Amino acid sequence: MADPPAPVAVRGAVPLVRVAAGAGAAALALPAASGIRPWPSGALALATVVVCVVGLVAACDRGTRPAQLVFWAFTLAWLGVAPLHQLAVGRVAWGDSTLLDRTGAVLTAQALLLLSLLAFAAGGAACGRGRVRHEPLDRDRLRRAAGAVLALALVLLPLAAAAGGGFASLFVSRQERSAAIDAAGVVGADGGAALGLVKLLPAALATVGCYAAILALRAEVRRRGPGEWRVRFAVAASAGVALLLAYSNPVANSRFVSFAAIGCCALAALQPRGARAGAVLAVGAVAGLLFAYPLLYALRKPTGLAGDAPFSLDDWTGVDFDGFQQWVNTVLHVGERGHEGGATIASALLFFVPRSLWEGKARPASITVAESRGYAFTDLSLPVSAELYLNLGVAGTVVGMAVLGAVWARLDHAWLTAPTSLPALLAPVVATQQFGLIRGPMGSLAPVIGSVLLLSVAVVAYARCRHGEERE
């Protein structure tokens, strides 16, 4: 891939900007935090918001770092602002009116959450530097790889459409499509294998194919100039967008799948690297997660957005923001039954092993945690930090989050300094797929994340130039 994006100069830290951002966040959050009782709970909630804001500013003040930026934006909205409001008004989701009365568990969850975020920040600060080897790509090979992946997605289109009763089922509400798939008996004795073939795999193929096709088209336009690029690159990108919208539109799919797929391809098209682009992306991400994300919940219903009230702060105590609630539930569960010893994490990492071959494969951790609280609906979220604590205790949470921060920082550093290296090309994929990782549980979302990452690595490996030289 000739003429790659110019690396961004990585200068020293900008502590004054981060201090100012943290002070501003503290000032804005203080009125809500001061009303929380007991006062240590308010102080911890305030500290969590400040740490997230400082992390978010650090992810864009010296150039856009997409993986860390999305992590801090999601965490600020989901585990910072929303819990602050929940504690201030004394209300959480799923009709659980007594959870916040468990003061000891609430304070423990807050302390562990804050500790996990500090560990993530420390891991990133320790490993976000160093030289990344430049690895050129052949844009023709990248386009061919994208075409092959998209061809597989197209082959699966009739099967995916038939599973829901026809092509139109790809664009109906999520509830309607799920009901049609259930009525067709797609999930049978084989567990989720057939469901993966008609939902998970096509969506992963469309995401990776579209991402690679857009990268190839950008390289072609950059190299040849307006009006000189070859039409087949535009055809591949157009096909990728069409299949992406067919398989991953936000009407018939979970918001995680849609946001991750569309966001990944948007990053490929826009290539944000400067500090200004990062600031715009950070503000847009936080605003979208706090305000637009709850409204889009209505898309899963047959009536869509019709008849729904506009956004209100009460939405922050609803089912979209149950992450902190599940953190507290995790603390209660561990206090009663102990740690899982890595069982749910191992099951997530080995997602490709079917339950028919692994009888003892653990269920998604959020189900176990929610059941221990007596919830009628148990297919909930579970933050990655809480699942680490559930499995490995305090030490495992700190180490796991520090490793996560270090890996994210290395991807972002490559994004800024070696734009065509494998870590740089994976940065947008990881940045967007981590919506599911942060939200959790790992057991439910690892198949989606793992499929996209493995396909992305395969596509980039094929597109590597032979003999280490760029090709026309």
Side-chain angles (χ1 to χ4, degrees):
M1 183 184 292
D3 300 330
V8 173
V10 180
R11 300 182 297 276
V14 191
L16 184 59
V17 175
R18 300 176 190 180
V19 170
L28 290 173
L30 186 58
S34 62
I36 297 174
R37 295 292 180 269
W39 71 263
S41 182
L44 287 169
L46 180 65
T48 300
V49 170
V50 170
V51 168
C52 289
V53 169
V54 172
L56 184 60
V57 172
C60 59
D61 63 5
R62 292 176 292 136
T64 302
R65 291 168 164 76
Q68 293 172 92
L69 190 153
V70 172
F71 174 87
W72 288 115
F74 198 135
T75 304
L76 172 61
W78 198 53
L79 294 173
V81 174
L84 175 68
H85 178 71
Q86 292 166 7
L87 290 164
V89 301
R91 188 167 61 254
V92 294
W94 305 112
D96 194 337
S97 59
T98 63
L99 181 68
L100 297 182
D101 295 334
R102 311 290 291 270
T103 304
V106 171
L107 287 170
T108 300
Q110 287 183 276
L112 289 172
L113 170 60
L114 182 58
L115 180 63
S116 72
L117 297 179
L118 293 173
F120 180 90
C127 300
R129 295 177 294 274
R131 180 179 176 82
V132 180
R133 186 167 63 91
H134 175 69
E135 300 172 281
L137 293 173
D138 184 322
R139 65 182 181 279
D140 284 295
R141 290 173 66 83
L142 182 61
R143 191 263 309 163
R144 288 197 293 271
V149 172
L150 291 172
L152 289 174
L154 184 61
V155 168
L156 292 175
L157 186 59
L159 186 63
F167 183 75
S169 70
L170 296 173
F171 301 95
V172 299
S173 73
R174 182 182 172 191
Q175 284 184 332
E176 289 177 300
R177 177 159 171 77
S178 297
I181 290 176
D182 291 342
V186 172
V187 181
D190 57 352
L195 186 62
L197 187 63
V198 300
K199 288 195 69 176
L200 187 155
L201 181 58
L205 290 168
T207 300
V208 176
C210 185
Y211 177 66
I214 291 175
L215 288 177
L217 177 60
R218 276 186 58 93
E220 176 75 359
V221 172
R222 185 184 303 114
R223 175 62 177 171
R224 292 180 174 263
E228 297 180 359
W229 39 267
R230 290 164 287 181
V231 175
R232 56 180 175 268
F233 283 80
V235 171
S238 299
V241 171
L243 286 169
L244 183 76
L245 294 178
Y247 285 126
S248 301
N249 64 80
V251 176
N253 298 276
S254 70
R255 287 162 295 173
F256 152 62
V257 170
S258 299
F259 282 12
I262 297 172
C264 174
C265 296
L267 288 175
L270 299 175
Q271 298 277 308
R273 285 190 169 84
R276 182 176 299 177
V280 172
L281 183 60
V283 172
V286 174
L289 290 164
L290 283 174
F291 304 109
Y293 190 76
L295 288 177
L296 291 176
Y297 181 79
L299 290 176
R300 69 184 295 173
K301 299 181 294 186
T303 57
L305 293 171
D308 277 83
F311 170 83
S312 72
L313 292 182
D314 286 341
D315 289 337
W316 293 348
T317 65
V319 297
D320 281 321
F321 296 94
D322 63 352
F324 175 68
Q325 178 175 355
Q326 281 289 81
W327 236 120
V328 180
N329 287 336
T330 300
V331 170
L332 292 170
H333 177 81
V334 169
E336 294 174 358
R337 306 184 187 183
H339 298 286
E340 295 288 335
T344 70
I345 295 177
S347 296
L349 293 175
L350 299 174
F351 65 89
F352 48 84
V353 180
R355 294 185 183 277
S356 58
L357 299 179
W358 185 359
E359 294 183 359
K361 191 173 185 178
R363 297 182 301 169
S366 62
I367 297 177
T368 302
V369 170
E371 283 180 347
S372 70
R373 284 289 294 165
Y375 290 177
F377 183 73
T378 58
D379 187 13
L380 310 182
S381 65
L382 189 70
V384 60
S385 51
E387 188 157 358
L388 286 170
Y389 174 69
L390 173 67
N391 281 270
L392 305 174
V394 176
T397 303
V398 171
V399 172
M401 293 301 291
V403 169
L404 200 65
V407 173
W408 268 218
R410 290 299 294 170
L411 294 174
D412 287 339
H413 183 66
W415 171 259
L416 292 176
T417 61
T420 59
S421 64
L422 175 61
L425 294 173
L426 289 181
V429 178
V430 170
T432 50
Q433 290 295 318
Q434 73 174 308
F435 278 120
L437 178 64
I438 298 171
R439 181 190 178 277
M442 297 184 198
S444 295
L445 297 170
V448 180
I449 300 170
S451 299
V452 171
L453 283 176
L454 291 175
L455 281 169
S456 299
V457 171
V459 166
V460 173
Y462 175 81
R464 283 279 170 251
C465 294
R466 297 177 181 179
H467 310 301
E469 298 180 354
E470 294 181 347
R471 297 165 60 95
E472 292 291 333

